[in-house]
Amino acid sequence: MKISLAPISYCWSKPNVEAFYQHVALSDIDTVYLGETVCSRRREVKFNDYLELANMLKSHGKHVVLSTMALIEAQSELNELKRAIDNGDFSIEANDMAAVHYAHQAKVPFVCGPTINNYNRTSLDLLHRKGMYRFVMPCELSQQWLSNVINYGGKPAFEIEVLGHGYMPLALSARCFTAKHYRLPKDKCQTICQRHSKGLLAQTQESQPLLRLNGIQTQSAAQVNLINQIPQMLDMGIDYWRISPNKLADITLGSDLAHALEQVKTDTLNKEALFTKQFNDNKSVSAASHHCNGYWLGLPGMDYVLESNPPRL
Amino acid sequence: MELLCPAGNIASLKAALNAGADAVYLGLKDDTNARSFAGLNFSPLQLAQATKLAHGQGRKVFLTLNTFPKPGQEHRWYQAVDLAAQLEMDALIVADLSLLDYAHQHYPHLTLHLSVQASATNLGALSFYKEAFNIERAVLPRVLSIKQVRDLAKVSPVELEVFAFGSLCIMAEGRCHLSSYVTGQSPNTGGSCSPANHVRWQDDGNDKLTRLNDVLIDKADISQQLGYPVVCKGRYIAEYDHDAKYLLESPTSLNTLSLLPQLAQAGIKSLKIEGRQRSPAYVSQVTQVWRSAIDTYFANPESFCEQPQWAQVLAKVSEGQITTLGAYERQWQ
């Protein structure tokens, strides 16, 4: 299993994005997804800038995939999508069926991102025949579901990636919730979402963190944390463990995990001990309110169940 | 222009047909459709009866198969496809690739409509489904502006169906996990959005609380009317703020009556009324209004104007008695 880094889902300034990927370049993270996936109004970092970053990361030995938009509504967005597909070098992450269509036509291999509805093996095999070489499991699905996909009809001919850490993409709308909050019309939004480097937290009237508003995207308030499940994923044969970044420390986490995965491969080190101890020693039960792992366990996505207290399934 | 109405049971089906629906859509009594509420939907026998009834009156009947089969259980959904073919139903409304493929391979003459759950909002996505499975029609998610609908209609390789009236889903359908994040049940896999068994109403002094799986979705003075607790229509407190607000959307319904001329001119093939979980009385009232509006428009397109009594009837059956144009109107976005 290797560590991958999802595209930045927030609107960061160009200097911040560039600084972020300079750090990534020096990390042990294997695969990097790059590009704007949420809103075409975000033009801080343009396509050519991403291409430059992609080449820089490639020169540092990273595998780079260009990520494309999830909700495509306008012809201009389709043109931008085709431009990404025709980059001549990198494969793409398709986050809408339009990307599947044009990538298939152009014979460009693609990864199916988490916002494409992949719910069974038959559909995944069909997409594989269209050029999908890897898929990222939709975040609402579980370990049991994934086991069924792997076991149904023999080992898949495509790779499997699971979001292991970060805020989860839960929904997409035409409406920009950040602009709405600031009483700005979407067409004159001033890219106000830049104010919130990890989205705008929405809590219930009982102060329970629930959602994270990121422009037209709604994310989970809690970060999914599947570090404890890494040994299980190794046994299942999962190919990539994805981190959705919201801060520089996520690069360190990715590097440390990549290093630990190497150790498990080469040493006789007990993988359960390594992953649960090394990465979770500092996490107290109070951390539960900021983390979740419910989906993986077949529970409501927002739930967090510590390993010492497994759910009754 | 077709008027397509919901039928949660035989009584609603009859109400829709009597009120002038051109076609009805319905689902089987299991997890093959995303409205699997108790007491709703059709057994295979009732499906046969419904098809006979609709065909007897020269109307069409579509089977909704808009969930995504679980791995290894595709065959249960395939059986529903077989049944629809056997009954000679007029179309299948499908989102999942495996089902589209099965139906296309086994019953090339069975008409396929792409369900809104497939979340196809652009030419590229529609072209994919047309080329791969020869779909005839697509239902557009409620995220496009009227200009975007018009632009897409000009180039679309398939007929387009839009939501005309009913509960306003503000997210790109089929790509929303808010309900499963809170309850664990996903509309995509056969659950429903905000399943009723997770909903709890609570009195708390002068306040009334609505909860979804114990998460407080809304709180209001006991005199106020609270909406059904869906996550996207709750009142929450934003970071750096003190007051609870509708951060995503308030409880409202979609009503596009005023857009009827524009939708007709754009060449939209079908107007869909939402509400398979609603009563036969709702189906009857809404269908009558839209039948009347469509007929009035086509009788004399130049002088069409919305009649006040239509709006009155529709407002009464709307969520919070408020209606909106939703994403069709750019300002809303």
Side-chain angles (χ1 to χ4, degrees), chain B residues 4-274:
Chain B
L4 175 60
C5 297
N9 51 35
I10 289 279
S12 286
L13 176 104
K14 286 179 181 165
L17 296 177
N18 289 340
D22 297 307
V24 287
Y25 64 100
L26 39 74
L28 279 166
K29 225 179 228 318
D30 57 23
D31 57 359
T32 59
N33 78 94
R35 287 283 185 281
S36 48
F37 291 108
L40 208 67
N41 300 319
F42 294 71
S43 66
L45 212 63
Q46 289 169 324
L47 198 66
Q49 192 190 346
T51 307
K52 211 172 154 191
L53 246 167
H55 286 173
Q57 299 186 32
R59 324 290 177 88
K60 291 182 172 173
V61 57
F62 306 153
L63 183 66
T64 308
L65 288 178
N66 60 347
T67 49
F68 296 82
K70 298 167 186 77
Q73 296 186 31
E74 288 92 331
H75 61 277
R76 292 204 290 115
W77 276 256
Y78 296 162
Q79 282 167 8
V81 176
D82 298 339
L83 181 63
Q86 194 190 326
L87 294 175
E88 298 182 347
M89 293 183 76
D90 299 282
L92 281 179
I93 308 174
V94 188
D96 183 66
L97 294 171
S98 71
L99 291 182
L100 286 162
D101 194 41
Y102 178 85
H104 179 54
Q105 298 289 337
H106 290 79
Y107 307 103
H109 300 298
L110 184 56
T111 302
L112 294 175
H113 292 178
L114 187 67
S115 164
V116 71
Q117 302 296 124
S119 210
T121 51
N122 58 67
L123 175 62
L126 295 178
S127 302
F128 175 83
Y129 290 103
K130 175 71 184 171
E131 284 180 23
F133 313 113
N134 196 29
I135 62 161
E136 216 159 273
R137 181 191 292 187
V139 191
L140 294 182
R142 283 161 271 193
V143 294
L144 299 177
S145 69
I146 185 71
K147 183 182 178 303
Q148 286 167 340
V149 170
R150 267 200 311 259
D151 290 348
L152 188 55
K154 277 181 206 154
V155 294
S156 174
V158 297
E159 295 172 4
L160 296 180
E161 176 177 312
V162 300
F163 278 87
F165 184 84
S167 190
L168 176 65
C169 178
I170 68 163
M171 302 299 183
E173 285 102 329
R175 296 206 268 182
C176 176
H177 304 317
L178 292 181
S179 184
S180 67
Y181 183 62
V182 174
T183 71
Q185 279 191 35
S186 162
N188 278 0
T189 56
S192 51
C193 182
S194 280
N197 58 349
H198 285 84
V199 171
R200 192 151 57 92
W201 310 84
Q202 213 180 354
D203 284 338
D204 180 27
N206 286 330
D207 290 328
K208 202 161 56 172
L209 281 56
T210 61
R211 292 184 186 276
L212 186 61
N213 200 17
D214 286 337
V215 174
L216 183 64
I217 300 295
D218 206 356
K219 176 167 130 179
D221 183 274
I222 215 139
S223 62
Q224 275 180 283
Q225 206 193 343
L226 285 177
Y228 187 82
V230 286
V231 178
C232 62
K233 291 175 186 171
R235 265 183 285 200
Y236 310 110
I237 303 168
E239 211 171 346
Y240 317 116
D241 216 342
H242 301 291
D243 301 325
K245 294 192 183 86
Y246 291 114
L247 293 178
L248 298 104
E249 173 61 326
S250 55
T252 51
S253 287
L254 177 75
N255 178 13
T256 63
L257 208 51
S258 61
L259 293 179
L260 179 57
Q262 293 191 59
L263 293 168
Q265 284 155 24
I268 297 303
K269 180 74 182 177
S270 179
L271 297 177
K272 183 174 209 137
I273 307 298
E274 189 273 348

Side-chain angles (χ1 to χ4, degrees), chain A residues 193-267:
Chain A
C193 52
Q194 245 195 314
R195 282 199 197 170
H196 300 282
S197 65
K198 49 178 83 174
L200 176 70
L201 181 69
Q203 302 191 79
T204 68
Q205 295 179 57
E206 290 175 329
S207 304
Q208 181 181 15
L210 185 64
L211 304 172
R212 212 158 263 283
L213 310 181
N214 176 35
I216 65 156
Q217 184 191 48
T218 308
Q219 296 183 329
S220 58
Q223 295 203 75
V224 64
N225 179 354
L226 300 181
I227 291 174
N228 285 342
Q229 284 73 25
I230 289 178
Q232 184 185 32
M233 291 184 196
L234 285 167
D235 292 342
M236 290 170 73
I238 309 302
D239 302 283
Y240 289 85
W241 200 87
R242 169 182 274 224
I243 295 174
S244 179
N246 60 73
K247 56 185 180 303
L248 277 176
D250 290 332
I251 302 170
T252 314
L253 174 71
S255 251
D256 291 350
L257 286 171
H259 187 65
L261 284 169
E262 275 306 307
Q263 269 185 288
V264 167
K265 241 194 278 176
T266 51
D267 297 357

Side-chain angles (χ1 to χ4, degrees), chain A residues 155-200:
Chain A
K155 192 179 164 13
F158 47 82
E159 296 171 328
I160 297 168
E161 180 162 336
V162 174
L163 174 61
H165 200 272
Y167 299 115
M168 292 186 285
L170 294 180
L172 294 158
S173 172
R175 177 172 253 185
C176 177
F177 304 114
T178 314
K180 178 180 181 286
H181 179 66
Y182 287 100
R183 296 169 190 271
L184 290 168
K186 189 181 180 187
D187 290 335
K188 289 179 186 160
C189 68
Q190 301 166 25
T191 335
I192 196 84
C193 52
Q194 245 195 314
R195 282 199 197 170
H196 300 282
S197 65
K198 49 178 83 174
L200 176 70

